[in-house]
Amino acid sequence: MIVLRTVAEVREFRLTCESVGFVPTMGALHAGHLKLMESAVEENVVGIGSIFVNPLQFGAGEDLGNYPRREAEDIALAEGVGMRAMFCPSVEEMLGRSSTRVTVSGVSDLFEGERRPGHFEGVATIVAQLFGIVRPTRAYFGLKDLQQCAVVRQMVADLCMDIDLQFIETIREESGLAMSSRNGYFSESDRAWAAHLNRICRVVAERLVEGRDDFNSVFGWGKNELSRHRFEVEYLDVVDFRTMRPVQSVDIYSRLVVAARFAGVRLIDNLAVIE
Ligand code: AMP
């Protein structure tokens, strides 16, 4: 395992790699990240990851300062699944001289984009920069962050980046709670309770497919059920993954999307409506 700190070091290492599977992360790695890394290692000659807690994608009042940072442990985990190099740049290395910002409109307008102004501009800017540095053959993203996948896909298409994107289904704890670096903010009992989010969403998806009630009454039922379980719902909807716009009928592109606060933690999750 090689730890790379600068753009120049990545460039030099890249010369020795035939094909590269790239997994960008913000660290505090869990089984979801490791699944992406395993795919990168399996499908490419070399797997390269990155750890960068990107200040551009955090809004005022969000958890940039508290975000978990455990680089040594992360590097050992990445090495364990066969990654060959981790790029861990400083904020200065990434942003010290940069004044370019990448805005992807349309797919970023609603849901997370609406509630976290500037978030996707921060994501797209850093992902574009990382792609320019690493020049991956394939890049791996988790469907846990569904809208992020849609934004990166749009950016890669619009800017004609020659990168094969791979989206990996969400890895969950046994309880059904989507794995997240932020789950560490929960107490043990709150973490167990947070699994109701996914459980209720699965029932909502089943009801939508059954089609006995119209979408609005099913969403009304779901929101009510979530509130009863002490979730403060921000949105619950069904979107077409390709456009991130709400839909009124379901097909293979439909994903149920949810954002809710529980015990001081903001959770997002999504699932395919038709399995
Ligand atoms: P993050 O470190 O949160 O920026 O995540 C890095 C990558 O891991 C992103 O592509 C995420 O979508 C992905 N990821 C995060 N959580 C999960 C999960 N539970 N299952 C699969 N992928 C995930």
Side-chain angles (χ1 to χ4, degrees), residues 24-27 30 32-33 36 67 141-142 144-145 148 169-171 179:
T25 81
M26 297 206 300
H30 52 64
H33 297 116
L36 269 54
Y67 200 83
F141 291 85
K144 159 78 170 44
D145 299 291
Q148 173 169 282
E169 195 50 85
T170 304
I171 303 298
M179 296 229 175

Side-chain angles (χ1 to χ4, degrees), residues 9 29 69 78 101 122 127 133 139 150-151 160 168 180 183 185 194 199 206 226 235:
E9 285 169 8
L29 302 186
R69 288 165 171 86
R101 296 292 178 264
V127 170
I133 297 167
V151 166
C160 306
I168 308 288
S180 164
N183 290 350
Y185 296 154
R199 185 187 61 74
E206 275 166 28
L226 286 166
Y235 59 76

Side-chain angles (χ1 to χ4, degrees), residues 8 16 22 48 69 72-73 78 90 102 113 115 119 121 133 139 144 153 156 167 172 177 189 223 227 230 247 275:
T16 67
F22 178 49
I48 303 181
R69 288 165 171 86
E73 205 179 314
S90 64
V102 179
R115 281 151 188 95
H119 172 69
E121 184 177 278
I133 297 167
K144 159 78 170 44
R153 182 157 80 165
V156 163
F167 300 134
R172 298 180 182 280
L177 178 66
S189 60
K223 284 178 186 168
S227 313
R230 293 187 279 131
V247 291
E275 296 282 330

Side-chain angles (χ1 to χ4, degrees), residues 244-257:
M244 289 305 294
R245 298 265 160 198
V247 291
Q248 286 299 323
S249 61
V250 292
D251 61 24
I252 54 162
Y253 301 107
S254 309
R255 309 274 306 191
L256 183 75
V257 292

